[in-house]
C-alpha cells in the first residue's frame, strides 16, 4: 500500500468552492458559488491568440515572461499605479494570481516564519502558508464594514513576521482597503522589516468613489511589496491562466527561480494575446466594471428586501451577507436542494454566519438565484 499523503497535504482540503461548483452541476442548480465570469473574452484577445498560433509562436518564452508582455505590464503599472517598473528585472509572468502567491511564498518565506493574513481570506492563502512551512497569524476584518482593529494588527507583528498577505479589493467581502488602513499596515511592515504580498486581482472592479491604492506606491513600500495581479477577472479569462508579479529585482529573481522549476510558464501564445489586452486595458476594464456594478445594485436590492444584512461592497464582484439567526453553512447546503449554489462563509475563515454570492453568472441566473435565496428564508 502507498504510504499516503505528506504531512503538508494532510493539512488542507480540496477547494470547497470548486466542490460547490460540482454540487451545483449535480443538483442542476444556478452556480453563484465560484467566480468565473460568464462574459465572453474580449475579441481582441481571442484574435491575438489565434494570430500568434498562426505565426508559429510556439516555443518557450524566457522564464520570466515574453518581452512584449512584460513591456505591456510595465506600461500598465506606470499608467494605472504611477509605478516605474523595469520590465527586464522587476516583472515575472505567472500562471495566474494563484501561482504568483504560492511562488512568492515558497521563494521568500522560510519554515517557521509568521505570515499575517487578514481574515476572511481567499481560500488558497491558507494552503500557501502551509506549503511554505510558515505559521499564519490571522487578523480579523470585522463586519459590518470590515475594518480591522489596529491594536490587534500590532499584536500580530513581531520579530518572526516575514510577510503580510493583503487582498484589496477583497474577496469575499468586497472591501477596498483605504489609504489610511494601508498606511497603518505599511508602518508596521517598515518597523518589523516585513514583506507584503498584495493580491490586486480585482483592482478595476470598483464602485465609483472607491479608490484602489496599491501598497507598492506608499512611502517605504516599493522595495518590500510583491504586487500580484492577473488577467483572469478583468478580462473574463480565468481559464487562460495568465498573471504576473511586480517587485524589486532581488524578489523577482528568487520568485523566477521557483517558477522555472515548477509552473514554467504561461503558454506563449496566451502571453502574446494578453499583451494586446493590456494595450486596450482602460476600455475593457470600464465596460466590465459597469456590468458588475449593475449586478451588485440588483443584488443589494433583493438581499435587503429578503432581510439579509451586509455592507454594500466597494468592489462589486462578490457579496458576503448573513441573516440574524441563520447558520450560513447549513443554509448553504440547504440551498442546493432549492436550486442555487453559494459558497459557505467558513471557506474564508471563521465566518460561519455568512455565505458568499459571486456575481459572475449570467444576469437571468443571478436573478433566479437571488430569488431562490430569499424564498428559502421567507417561507
Ligand atoms: N486571488 C483572489 C483574491 C481570487 O479571488 C482568485 C479567484 O477567485 C484568485 C486569486 C485566482 O486568480 P487566478 O485565476 O489569476 O489564478
Amino acid at each position: 500500500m502507498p504510504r499516503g499523503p505528506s504531512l503538508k497535504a494532510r493539512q488542507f482540503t480540496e477547494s470547497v468552492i470548486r466542490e460547490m461548483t460540482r454540487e451545483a452541476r449535480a443538483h442542476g442548480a444556478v452556480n453563484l458559488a465560484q467566480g468565473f465570469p460568464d462574459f465572453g473574452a474580449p475579441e481582441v484577445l481571442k484574435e491575438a491568440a489565434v494570430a500568434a498560433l498562426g505565426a508559429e509562436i510556439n516555443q518557450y518564452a524566457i522564464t520570466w515572461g515574453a518581452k512584449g508582455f512584460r513591456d505591456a505590464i510595465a506600461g500598465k503599472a506606470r499608467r494605472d499605479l504611477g509605478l516605474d517598473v523595469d520590465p527586464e528585472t522587476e516583472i515575472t509572468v505567472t500562471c495566474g494570481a494563484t501561482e504568483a502567491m504560492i511562488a512568492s511564498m515558497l521563494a521568500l518565506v522560510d519554515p517557521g516564519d509568521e505570515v499575517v493574513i487578514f481574515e476572511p481570506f481567499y481560500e488558497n492563502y491558507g494552503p500557501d502558508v502551509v506549503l511554505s512551512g510558515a505559521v499564519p497569524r490571522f487578523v480579523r476584518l470585522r463586519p459590518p464594514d470590515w475594518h480591522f482593529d489596529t491594536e490587534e494588527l500590532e499584536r500580530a507583528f513581531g520579530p518572526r513576521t516575514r510577510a503580510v498577505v493583503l487582498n484589496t479589493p477583497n474577496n469575499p467581502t468586497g472591501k477596498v482597503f483605504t489609504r489610511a488602513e494601508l498606511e497603518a499596515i505599511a508602518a508596521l511592515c517598515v518597523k518589523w522589516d516585513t514583506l507584503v504580498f498584495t493580491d490586486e486581482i480585482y483592482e478595476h472592479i470598483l464602485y465609483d468613489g472607491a479608490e484602489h491604492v496599491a501598497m507598492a506606491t506608499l512611502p517605504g513600500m516599493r522595495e518590500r511589496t510583491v504586487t500580484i495581479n492577473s488577467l483572469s477577472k478583468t478580462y473574463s479569462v480565468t481559464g487562460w491562466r495568465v498573471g504576473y508579479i511586480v517587485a524589486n529585482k532581488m524578489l523577482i529573481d528568487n520568485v523566477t527561480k521557483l517558477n522555472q522549476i515548477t509552473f514554467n510558464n504561461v503558454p506563449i501564445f496566451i502571453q502574446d494575446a494578453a499583451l494586446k489586452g493590456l494595450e486596450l486595458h482602460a476600455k475593457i476594464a470600464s465596460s466590465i466594471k459597469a456590468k458588475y456594478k449593475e449586478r451588485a445594485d440588483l443584488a443589494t436590492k433583493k438581499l435587503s428586501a429578503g432581510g439579509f444584512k451586509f455592507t454594500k461592497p466597494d468592489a462589486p464582484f462578490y457579496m458576503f451577507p448573513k441573516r440574524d439567526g441563520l447558520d450560513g453553512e447549513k443554509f448553504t447546503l440547504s440551498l442546493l436542494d432549492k436550486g442555487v449554489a453559494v459558497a459557505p462563509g467558513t471557506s474564508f475563515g471563521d465566518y460561519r454566519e455568512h455565505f458568499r454570492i459571486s456575481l459572475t453568472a449570467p444576469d437571468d441566473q443571478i436573478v433566479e438565484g437571488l430569488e431562490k435565496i430569499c424564498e428559502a428564508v421567507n417561507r
Side-chain angles (χ1 to χ4, degrees):
M1 275 294 280
R3 288 178 58 187
S6 69
L7 289 175
K8 281 180 177 156
R10 277 172 220 231
Q11 288 177 62
F12 53 90
T13 60
E14 208 208 340
S15 156
V16 176
I17 295 168
R18 267 153 227 196
E19 194 182 322
M20 290 309 287
T21 289
R22 277 199 301 278
E23 289 291 338
R25 287 192 185 128
H27 284 77
V30 170
N31 186 358
L32 306 186
Q34 198 175 345
F36 48 77
D38 68 304
F39 310 121
E43 285 307 316
V44 60
L45 266 80
K46 291 189 276 192
E47 283 162 13
V50 171
L53 285 172
E56 298 291 355
I57 299 188
N58 300 317
Q59 309 308 330
Y60 296 129
I62 289 174
T63 324
W64 51 100
K67 173 157 174 43
F69 186 34
R70 282 183 284 112
D71 287 345
I73 294 166
K76 178 186 173 306
R78 197 165 305 116
R79 248 184 358 251
D80 287 358
L81 308 178
L83 271 187
D84 265 326
V85 176
D86 181 347
E88 296 309 320
T89 58
E90 295 188 310
I91 293 172
T92 209
V93 171
T94 59
C95 297
T98 302
E99 188 228 313
M101 186 61 83
I102 184 65
S104 301
M105 280 211 204
L106 289 174
L108 304 171
V109 170
D110 280 319
D113 285 347
E114 292 186 0
V115 175
V116 174
I117 302 181
F118 291 96
E119 186 184 29
F121 55 90
Y122 171 55
E123 60 177 358
N124 279 10
Y125 301 156
D128 289 338
V129 172
V130 168
L131 288 174
S132 51
V135 180
R137 292 289 309 260
F138 296 110
V139 173
R140 272 182 92 71
L141 297 175
R142 294 158 187 272
D145 62 350
W146 306 110
H147 69 281
F148 59 83
D149 179 278
T150 316
E151 284 174 14
E152 186 187 343
L153 181 67
E154 280 167 9
R155 283 196 302 275
F157 277 75
R160 290 168 65 200
T161 312
R162 186 71 165 262
V164 177
V165 174
L166 183 71
N167 171 216
T168 183
N170 179 260
N171 171 10
T173 61
K175 171 191 173 68
V176 176
F177 283 70
T178 63
R179 186 177 288 276
E181 286 175 325
L182 294 174
E183 282 170 354
I185 300 166
L188 287 165
C189 291
V190 172
K191 175 174 172 190
W192 293 103
D193 191 15
T194 302
L195 295 173
V196 177
F197 302 137
T198 168
D199 178 342
E200 302 184 359
I201 188 170
Y202 298 104
E203 72 176 316
H204 295 292
I205 304 176
L206 295 180
Y207 269 116
D208 299 337
E211 183 199 13
H212 171 66
V213 179
M215 185 53 113
T217 60
L218 296 188
M221 293 311 290
R222 173 71 166 85
E223 66 274 19
R224 59 180 68 253
T225 302
V226 175
T227 304
I228 290 173
N229 216 321
S230 159
L231 276 72
S232 282
K233 311 289 177 171
T234 309
Y235 296 86
S236 309
V237 289
T238 56
W240 283 30
R241 314 305 309 127
V242 56
Y244 56 89
I245 301 173
V246 173
N248 80 23
K249 181 176 181 321
M250 183 279 285
L251 301 174
I252 285 293
D253 280 351
N254 285 286
V255 177
T256 302
K257 276 196 297 194
L258 237 294
N259 183 302
Q260 188 170 7
I261 53 143
T262 52
F263 307 89
N264 189 28
N265 198 304
V266 177
I268 182 77
F269 65 94
I270 299 270
Q271 296 193 43
D272 226 53
L275 89 86
K276 293 281 182 303
L278 290 192
E279 282 167 6
L280 286 177
H281 179 72
K283 203 164 148 229
I284 296 171
S286 82
S287 100
I288 286 290
K289 178 163 103 170
K291 289 178 187 163
Y292 284 110
K293 282 197 300 196
E294 269 172 37
R295 290 175 173 188
D297 285 347
L298 175 89
T300 298
K301 270 196 210 125
K302 292 223 177 269
L303 291 171
S304 306
F308 290 94
K309 297 211 167 129
F310 54 93
T311 300
K312 194 171 177 193
D314 282 328
F317 201 89
Y318 300 110
M319 313 279 280
F320 200 49
K322 65 172 200 164
R323 197 169 192 275
D324 291 340
L326 197 76
D327 178 318
E329 186 148 277
K330 287 190 187 144
F331 184 57
T332 299
L333 291 176
S334 73
L335 283 178
L336 281 171
D337 288 329
K338 307 214 160 46
V340 53
V342 297
T346 45
S347 295
F348 309 94
D350 185 13
Y351 290 83
R352 198 180 170 97
E353 291 177 300
H354 293 258
F355 59 97
R356 190 194 73 176
I357 296 173
S358 162
L359 298 172
T360 50
D363 289 345
D364 56 336
Q365 291 183 22
I366 292 180
V367 172
E368 184 187 337
L370 289 167
E371 282 172 359
K372 286 182 166 158
I373 291 169
C374 294
E375 275 164 27
V377 290
N378 287 322
R379 279 223 178 99

